[in-house]
Amino acid sequence: MKTNKIYFIFLIIFFILGFTGCNNDEEDIFEGTATQRMKQKCVEIDSILHSSPDGWFMNYYPDPENLGGYNILMSFSGKETVIMQGDAFFPSGKYSSLYAVEGTQGPVINFNTSNEVLHRLANPELFYPGEGMLGDFEFVWKKTSENRDTLYLKGKKRDFSVELTKFNGNWDEYMNSINTNMTAFSSRFFKQITFANGEKYVIGGYNSINRTSYSITTENSKTVELPDEDDMLTFTKKGVEYYKPLVIGNQKIQHIDYDTVTKKFNIADPGIEGVLDQIDAPLFVFEHAKDSIFDNKTSYRFASLPPELYDIVTSIREKLKTVNANYSALAILYVQGSYRLSILANDGTNTVYGAYMILQFRKNTDRTDKINLFNQNTTIYGDYKTVIANECRALTALIAGTNSTGKNYIVMPNFNYTNFILGACDRDFSFTFYKW
């Protein structure tokens, strides 16, 4: 009996080891097959990328919940070289870098060396330090269209979908048409959609960095509601395309085409007739706006900076570091009977004036929500006036102009008169600040 028991135990051990060994063999075979299949798929995708003589087109929304779409053309040549060209958001010209199709989380197109185009959206230090423009430079392949003219991808880090579509045509001509539409759309801060029945709808601004605009809604034409969400948009060869349609009453607008002959934007969605015009100011007036701002006692801090000021503020930030100070804020401070356009800096002990210039304003008589900002004295004051003097002058020139006529703005307060948008009347420029 004892011998039988020992035999039985050895028999169980043999079957266990044998079963385990079989499993290991099967896993090795499966892993090898999966690796081979992955390599084959990467080779196939790379072959497709090389199959388009004129390259590929990407309309890339890095974060469609916060940012609009950016246009990029790509051409894949040689074994691992990609050439890119972007629209006016990017440096002009064509830029070469490296890429690879790798098998990591499935096939991944990895743009693994910096390119002046795509990596401008992925650099965490540009525009919004720490986040950047939230772009990816690695894209996971999801599927290929049946005729192999579209690759469906998603960002490896951000997980947002994007498509690469075969392109046919001249790169420069295509990008020039997009940039023409972009320039025409951004000539004024205020834009007005007028329908065939005479109804009007006002759009505020266009942020050339974020590729967003927003709808202006009013309460009895007295105040403006600052939108919780912007309207994300992109530019096409035809004109403007919104990521999600603008809902106006029972109508949805997503496509607005630009006519280069008539210089007009026309709604291009089926069944809707209307035009978009650039205007200096809305027809309705934000009543009591002038009484809620610049009341000889209140200071204001910029809640956000317009795109035109980013490079200036970046330069300020870097220059202050060289004198052991840190950029803190841009503000309009009321001090000793006058308003000052101030750059605040922290020297490690307290917040001080980095530098400032006297800012003057007038409340216009032609409409009650209109003010004029100007600066007749070009003297720069403050602890770091010599360090950032050029930046101070550049800020003032953008906000208040360079002569005594200054710049005109429409004041749009929120419902409780704590936040304000100032929209320029003569250009696509605005800034937002709050009572401090």
Side-chain angles (χ1 to χ4, degrees), residues 73 85 93-94 167 169-177 179:
L73 289 167
Q85 181 176 351
K94 299 175 176 65
F167 179 79
N170 181 278
W171 282 24
D172 291 333
E173 289 178 3
Y174 189 79
M175 285 302 179
N176 286 341
S177 64
N179 294 337

Side-chain angles (χ1 to χ4, degrees), residues 180-223:
T180 295
N181 299 334
M182 194 183 309
T183 300
F185 186 77
S186 61
S187 63
R188 286 289 187 276
F189 173 79
F190 294 104
K191 310 171 199 311
Q192 181 173 273
I193 292 177
T194 304
F195 294 105
N197 62 6
E199 291 182 2
K200 301 181 187 300
Y201 180 82
V202 178
I203 296 174
Y206 159 64
N207 187 313
S208 61
I209 302 298
N210 295 347
R211 296 277 165 97
T212 59
S213 64
Y214 56 85
S215 307
I216 294 178
T217 57
T218 64
E219 185 179 80
N220 299 323
S221 297
K222 292 182 179 180
T223 55

Side-chain angles (χ1 to χ4, degrees), residues 28-29 77 96 103 109 130 181 190 206 211 226 353 360 402:
D28 289 342
I29 293 171
S77 61
S96 176
I109 303 175
N181 299 334
F190 294 104
Y206 159 64
R211 296 277 165 97
L226 302 182
Y353 286 124
Q360 297 172 298
T402 56

Side-chain angles (χ1 to χ4, degrees), residues 6-162:
I6 293 173
Y7 173 78
F8 181 70
I9 291 171
F10 274 112
L11 188 63
I12 292 174
I13 293 172
F14 171 79
F15 275 111
I16 291 174
L17 292 175
F19 181 75
T20 303
C22 289
N23 272 354
N24 285 338
D25 290 342
E26 288 176 3
E27 286 177 5
D28 289 342
I29 293 171
F30 177 78
E31 286 295 328
T33 303
T35 300
Q36 290 173 358
R37 287 201 301 264
M38 180 68 73
K39 287 181 178 179
Q40 290 172 357
K41 177 56 71 173
C42 290
V43 170
E44 176 190 330
I45 293 170
D46 196 44
S47 175
I48 294 172
L49 291 175
H50 282 79
S51 69
S52 180
D54 292 339
W56 296 79
F57 172 72
M58 174 188 282
N59 182 236
Y60 182 31
Y61 284 79
D63 182 352
E65 297 175 1
N66 297 288
L67 302 171
Y70 305 82
N71 297 289
I72 301 173
L73 289 167
M74 302 181 182
S75 177
F76 298 85
S77 61
K79 184 178 181 181
E80 53 185 15
T81 300
V82 59
I83 298 171
M84 299 188 194
Q85 181 176 351
D87 61 34
F89 172 81
F90 306 95
S92 61
K94 299 175 176 65
Y95 296 89
S96 176
S97 58
L98 301 179
Y99 81 98
V101 184
E102 305 169 333
T104 52
Q105 298 177 5
V108 173
I109 303 175
N110 181 4
F111 298 96
N112 49 22
T113 64
S114 181
N115 189 292
E116 291 290 333
V117 180
L118 182 63
H119 286 75
R120 187 172 173 84
L121 297 171
N123 188 336
E125 299 306 317
L126 287 179
F127 304 111
Y128 302 99
E131 283 191 335
M133 299 297 291
L134 305 173
D136 273 291
F137 56 87
E138 295 178 279
F139 298 90
V140 180
W141 173 86
K142 302 301 294 179
K143 65 177 182 177
T144 303
S145 64
E146 195 170 322
N147 59 1
R148 295 161 66 98
D149 68 349
T150 304
L151 295 176
Y152 298 90
L153 315 170
K154 71 171 184 176
K156 184 177 179 180
K157 180 174 65 175
R158 299 286 296 168
D159 203 37
F160 291 116
S161 298
V162 62

Side-chain angles (χ1 to χ4, degrees), residues 347-368:
D347 63 0
T349 57
N350 61 337
T351 298
V352 299
Y353 286 124
Y356 65 90
M357 300 181 74
I358 305 301
L359 188 68
Q360 297 172 298
F361 73 96
R362 298 188 188 99
K363 294 178 179 179
N364 291 69
T365 57
D366 56 337
R367 52 186 292 165
T368 56

Side-chain angles (χ1 to χ4, degrees), residues 169-291:
N170 181 278
W171 282 24
D172 291 333
E173 289 178 3
Y174 189 79
M175 285 302 179
N176 286 341
S177 64
I178 287 176
N179 294 337
T180 295
N181 299 334
M182 194 183 309
T183 300
F185 186 77
S186 61
S187 63
R188 286 289 187 276
F189 173 79
F190 294 104
K191 310 171 199 311
Q192 181 173 273
I193 292 177
T194 304
F195 294 105
N197 62 6
E199 291 182 2
K200 301 181 187 300
Y201 180 82
V202 178
I203 296 174
Y206 159 64
N207 187 313
S208 61
I209 302 298
N210 295 347
R211 296 277 165 97
T212 59
S213 64
Y214 56 85
S215 307
I216 294 178
T217 57
T218 64
E219 185 179 80
N220 299 323
S221 297
K222 292 182 179 180
T223 55
V224 63
E225 181 178 4
L226 302 182
D228 292 329
E229 294 184 0
D230 293 337
D231 299 314
M232 276 61 71
L233 59 90
T234 191
F235 293 92
T236 69
K237 188 176 181 179
K238 291 183 176 181
V240 182
E241 178 180 307
Y242 282 89
Y243 185 74
K244 295 179 181 178
L246 299 176
V247 180
I248 305 173
N250 60 351
Q251 301 185 93
K252 294 182 178 180
I253 297 174
Q254 192 164 16
H255 304 91
I256 305 175
D257 291 351
Y258 182 61
D259 189 326
T260 56
V261 177
T262 63
K263 309 297 182 184
K264 289 283 187 180
F265 281 95
N266 302 296
I267 297 173
D269 295 295
I272 303 177
E273 291 186 26
V275 297
L276 180 145
D277 294 307
Q278 313 288 341
I279 58 176
D280 293 337
L283 293 176
F284 55 80
V285 174
F286 299 101
E287 295 292 344
H288 310 301
K290 71 172 185 178
D291 299 324

